[in-house]
Amino acid sequence: MSESFKLTYFDGRGLAEISRLLFVVSGTQFEDSRIPLEQDRKSWLAVKDTFPFKKIPDLTYNGTHINHSKAIERFLARKFHMLGSNELETALVEGFSEYVRDIMIAYGSARGDDAKVAKFWAEDLNPILAGLAQNAGNNGHFVGEKTTLPDIQFYYLFSTFFDAKDKVEAALAPYDNLRKIRETVANIDSIKEHVSKRKETPF
C-alpha cells in the first residue's frame, strides 16, 4: 500500500517548515497544502473546523490527522529514520531536539520586547549553545553518523528563523561543531534546491 502525506499550514515557513525540511531531506513526496495569508483570514476560517483541535499545522497520513507541529516532526523523523538507530540514540536525539526547541521558546518569549531580546542575545542563548556544543558530535551531526531531527531543527533556527544574522554568527563563532552541523544540512543537495525555490513569506 502506498503512503500519502498531506501537510497543511499557512503560506509561510512558521511551524511547518521543519516538517517540510524532513520531507525534503528524506526525498519523500508530499502534498504541501498552503492556506493563503489574508487579513480577514477568510480561507482559514472556511476550513478551520475540519481539523482536530481546529489548529494547524496538520499532517494527514493515509487519511488520519496528526496534529501539533512537534508530534508531526517526531512522526516524520521516526518514519524517515531520523530519530536515531536504537533506543539510546533516540533518547539522545530527542534530548538535543528539546534543547534546540528551548532556544526557540526563549526567543519567542522575548520577541516584541527590546530589552528581553537584548538579554536573550547577551545572556540567555550562550549557556544553551555551550551545552549543545559540549555534547554534540564533531562530524556535522548531533548524534551518530547521519542527519537526524535536531540537525534539521538547528539548521532551520540558525539559517532562517532569526532575523539578526550578525548576532547569529557572533553567537555561533566559538562553536566549530555547531557551525559544522548547520553547514552539513545546508549542503544537502535537496535542501539547496528547496531553499532556492522557496518564496519569500512574512514568516
Side-chain angles (χ1 to χ4, degrees):
M1 177 182 172
S2 62
E3 296 179 304
S4 66
F5 300 88
K6 179 181 179 180
L7 181 64
T8 303
Y9 190 59
F10 298 110
D11 190 13
R13 298 178 304 276
L15 296 174
E17 189 65 9
I18 289 170
S19 293
R20 293 188 188 113
L21 294 175
L22 287 164
F23 280 116
V24 167
V25 172
S26 71
T28 303
Q29 295 295 312
F30 73 106
E31 181 181 348
D32 188 8
S33 178
R34 295 173 179 246
I35 297 171
L37 296 169
E38 302 162 325
Q39 192 168 10
D40 62 4
R41 303 194 302 161
K42 177 179 167 183
S43 297
W44 164 236
L45 293 174
V47 298
K48 181 178 179 180
D49 289 344
T50 67
F51 296 102
F53 304 102
K54 299 178 175 58
K55 292 182 180 293
I56 49 175
D58 177 86
L59 176 69
T60 308
Y61 171 69
N62 290 348
T64 298
H65 289 279
I66 302 170
N67 207 249
H68 199 291
S69 60
K70 299 309 164 191
I72 294 168
E73 289 168 15
R74 281 184 167 80
F75 172 78
L76 294 176
R78 186 175 291 108
K79 195 80 177 163
F80 303 150
H81 309 291
M82 295 187 212
L83 207 62
S85 59
N86 54 54
E87 290 180 347
L88 178 58
E89 279 198 2
T90 297
L92 294 172
V93 164
E94 290 186 334
F96 281 116
S97 176
E98 289 302 313
Y99 279 112
V100 174
R101 185 170 175 241
D102 285 347
I103 295 173
M104 299 178 82
I105 291 171
Y107 185 74
S109 297
R111 182 179 277 172
D113 184 316
D114 291 347
K116 289 181 179 179
V117 169
K119 181 177 180 293
F120 168 83
W121 289 112
E123 301 176 21
D124 300 339
L125 177 58
N126 188 62
I128 304 176
L129 290 178
L132 288 172
Q134 183 176 356
N135 294 283
N138 294 310
N139 62 346
H141 303 295
F142 277 110
V143 179
E145 302 295 327
K146 63 180 185 179
T147 300
T148 58
L149 175 60
D151 297 348
I152 293 174
Q153 291 171 316
F154 189 84
Y155 158 77
Y156 173 68
L157 190 61
F158 286 94
S159 68
T160 305
F161 179 78
F162 292 120
D163 296 324
K165 303 305 181 188
D166 56 334
K167 294 186 182 299
V168 165
E169 298 311 316
L172 292 182
Y175 306 115
D176 292 345
N177 60 339
L178 297 184
R179 294 199 311 277
K180 188 172 183 179
I181 290 169
R182 182 181 62 174
E183 291 161 10
T184 297
V185 177
N187 286 323
I188 296 172
D189 287 342
S190 57
I191 289 286
K192 289 180 181 178
E193 182 179 3
H194 174 76
V195 171
S196 71
K197 294 179 178 179
R198 184 171 61 195
K199 68 178 183 179
E200 289 296 321
T201 56
F203 63 89

